[in-house]
Structures are given as structure tokens and as C-alpha cells.
Amino acid sequence: MSALPSIAARRAGACLLLALAVVLTGCTGLPRGSYDALRLAVGGRGLDVTPEQVAANPYAQILVEGPDGASLMVLGNDDAGLTSWFTPDRRIVFLRDGVLAGTSGQPTDAIEIRMLGDNPFTRLASVESAQTHRRYDWMPGYRYGVELRGQLQRGDLEHVEILGTRRELQRFDEHLEGHGLRAHNRYWTDPRTGAIVRSREFVGPGVELQITVLKPYTPSVTR
């Protein structure tokens, strides 16, 4: 059996799809859902997202906040569990199991973030403590194969406000080290399911993103 395409290959496909959507808005060969998602995404500094705005958009949505401002991103594609989230200014965030798997359009981009070995993020509802191991590929600079090891630890229940609603979420902290780098990722999850609702994650040197799920994505078919 041939291996699945790498995240980098899927990223290239998503970037092509995004470029086509921007240039060929009338192209009938473009997946309708991806084009509609792109059309409804917004971004910019001082972005004010309301519950009414989120409810009016039929697509799954995340709010991504980073060094260049905030973006309301909508789901454009689900490629075997790798979800792609878009904005009109050609930024893309990739998630797997609710965890950052890659970016496009940041000052430093993670071409791919791959979990190595055991993946505790698939069972956060039952995790107390676990070791993590990741491999990062970064651009610019062609810094490929940078491995960071970490420790994931369950923390306290915390109240987090999302779209004006106060929610009690389970916090996890992950401390990563390797190749002279240190990073601290934080995750807030649904205590019942372990689904990640908000995270602050290391992308690459000098870049961190906060990702908040505003309207969750539920695959219609079990993978």
C-alpha cells in the first residue's frame, strides 16, 4: 500500500485551491464548499467577531490570532483528517486532532508539524500526563527535520469566555525543548470529550498562534 501524501504535498494542493478561488471565482470545477468558505472568511487587525456572525455562516469556523492580527477562518477541506482552514488573504492553517499541523502566510511558516510516536491528543479526556515528540519543517530558511520533545500535563479547570459565553474547560500545558529551542503550548479542552476548544501553539521561532473553535467541525462520515 502506498503511503499517504505528506502534509507538505496536501499544503501545496490547498494553496493551489486557494489561489484558484481568488483568481477564478466563476470556475465550476472548484469545489463549491471550498469557494463558499473562502468567500465568507475575514481577517484583519481589530477583528470583532459576533455570535450572530458565526451563527449566520453555515461552515465550521475558527478564530486564529497571531503576530499579524486576527482571522476568522472557515473550513475548506478535510483530507483524511487533515483539515484546512482559509482566509481570503491566502493564509491557511492546518489542524489534525485539533492540534496545529502546518501553516501558510505567517512570518515563519510550519510547512509541516508531525507527531512522532504516541499521540496523546487523540485521547485527552483520559490523559493525566504524557510525553510528546514532534518534527517541524520551517520556511523561510529550509529548516527541516527539527525535532522537539515535550511533556504534556493536565492542569486545572479554567473558565474561558468565547463569543460572550463563559465555559469551564480543562487546561493542558505542554513544554517542548530541542535544538536550543523552548516552547510552551497550552490547550483548553471540553472536559467530557477531550476536544480542543482553544489552544496557543508554537509555530516556529518567534511565532505563536491562538486558535479558538467558534463552530466545531463534525465529519459526516467516520474515517
Side-chain angles (χ1 to χ4, degrees), residues 11-177:
R11 176 182 181 275
C15 289
L16 177 60
L17 176 64
L18 187 56
L20 285 171
V22 171
V23 177
L24 303 175
T25 56
C27 177
T28 57
L30 189 67
R32 182 64 186 176
S34 295
Y35 168 65
D36 287 345
L38 175 64
R39 179 174 55 81
L40 291 167
V42 295
R45 293 193 177 276
L47 181 66
D48 184 19
V49 181
T50 68
E52 293 76 17
Q53 180 182 3
V54 171
N57 186 329
Y59 297 98
Q61 299 157 68
I62 59 175
L63 178 65
V64 178
E65 299 169 85
D68 292 334
S71 297
L72 176 62
M73 293 187 166
V74 292
L75 179 69
N77 193 40
D78 178 355
D79 187 358
L82 179 71
T83 56
S84 309
W85 305 78
F86 298 94
T87 65
D89 60 358
R90 303 192 181 192
R91 297 186 191 189
I92 309 174
V93 161
F94 297 89
L95 302 178
R96 187 186 294 280
D97 302 314
V99 180
L100 192 64
T103 66
S104 179
Q106 298 299 321
T108 293
D109 271 320
I111 303 302
E112 182 171 15
I113 305 173
R114 177 173 293 185
M115 296 292 301
L116 303 176
D118 179 53
N119 182 1
F121 294 98
T122 62
R123 56 179 195 282
L124 283 178
S126 61
V127 167
E128 292 295 331
S129 179
Q131 294 184 345
T132 59
H133 186 191
R134 283 183 175 80
R135 186 178 71 194
Y136 291 80
D137 294 338
W138 291 315
M139 287 286 285
Y142 299 98
R143 291 166 290 175
Y144 294 153
V146 179
E147 295 189 14
L148 301 182
R149 294 180 180 271
Q151 184 71 34
L152 181 69
Q153 185 69 46
R154 178 184 291 261
D156 296 329
L157 289 170
E158 294 185 356
H159 287 100
V160 177
E161 186 171 310
I162 299 173
L163 293 176
T165 299
R166 197 164 182 252
R167 299 181 58 179
E168 187 175 61
L169 301 176
Q170 177 66 60
R171 176 169 171 159
F172 287 85
D173 289 274
E174 181 188 23
H175 295 276
L176 296 166
E177 290 190 28

Side-chain angles (χ1 to χ4, degrees), residues 3-10 79 96 114:
L4 288 172
S6 68
I7 291 179
R10 294 170 180 172
D79 187 358
R96 187 186 294 280
R114 177 173 293 185

